Amino acid sequence: MSSDAGLQLVSALQSQLQVEPEWCVPFDRGFQWWPGNLSQRVWADPLRQVGSHEFSRLHIESDFLRNVDESETISKFTAYANRLTTVSAVVFHQAERCIRLHSSICVSDENLEAVLRLASTIAHLQASDASCKSLGFAEMLSVHPDTTAHPAT
């Protein structure tokens, strides 16, 4: 059995992003951090075996909008926004009444180094997208940016 490439990637990505311990809240198989007013979560699914190949799926997810009720407008917004995205899907979470930006990448021992470079770029772009676009979209949809304070502040 190989090592857990997903957990290795989470640890390496946390270091690559230069996440300071005081801005990070660890959780099972991942961490949450605040690159600004919108938090971002990074986690890896448990290893999965397909044939003779083991891999994990890494998730990068940024808070975006809150107080979002399901409506035709929200459905049209997410459909349209997903046509314009670069590295993240725009995902409506009905139960939590929020919209988040989400990316995922499969990682294995064989592609760990390449995926680390890609995941770091995605995390930076996604956090920037969320920060730059949340206020405008919130105003357009009559909702709020999903800003939160770090739990220690």
Side-chain angles (χ1 to χ4, degrees):
M1 176 175 257
S2 65
S3 59
D4 191 329
L7 289 179
Q8 287 181 44
L9 182 58
V10 167
S11 178
L13 185 56
Q14 185 173 352
S15 177
Q16 180 97 16
L17 294 171
Q18 300 178 353
V19 177
E20 299 294 332
E22 62 269 15
W23 291 104
C24 180
V25 176
F27 60 86
D28 188 38
R29 301 188 62 83
F31 64 92
Q32 181 174 8
W33 74 300
W34 282 257
N37 291 331
L38 302 168
S39 79
Q40 186 176 68
R41 284 162 301 287
V42 175
W43 75 92
D45 291 342
L47 281 175
R48 183 174 174 186
Q49 181 93 25
V50 176
S52 62
H53 190 71
E54 282 187 319
F55 70 92
S56 176
R57 184 177 310 273
L58 178 82
H59 299 269
I60 303 169
E61 184 174 74
S62 292
D63 292 340
F64 192 52
L65 302 173
R66 69 171 179 234
N67 300 331
V68 180
D69 290 318
E70 186 173 14
S71 68
E72 185 177 341
T73 300
I74 295 301
S75 295
K76 286 180 179 178
F77 166 75
T78 56
Y80 184 73
N82 278 314
R83 287 187 222 150
L84 304 174
T85 61
T86 52
V87 296
S88 300
V90 178
V91 181
F92 173 56
H93 296 269
Q94 181 180 6
E96 298 172 58
R97 297 183 58 226
C98 69
I99 294 176
R100 295 187 183 123
L101 304 184
H102 190 98
S103 299
S104 65
I105 313 165
C106 289
V107 61
S108 66
D109 288 336
E110 293 81 15
N111 70 0
L112 181 61
E113 190 175 313
V115 170
L116 173 59
R117 289 190 302 271
L118 179 60
S120 177
T121 300
I122 289 170
H124 283 294
L125 287 172
Q126 185 186 90
S128 179
D129 271 354
S131 179
C132 292
K133 296 174 183 174
S134 63
L135 185 58
F137 284 130
E139 289 175 359
M140 182 174 61
L141 297 169
S142 299
V143 297
H144 301 282
D146 197 3
T147 57
T148 56
H150 183 275
T153 60

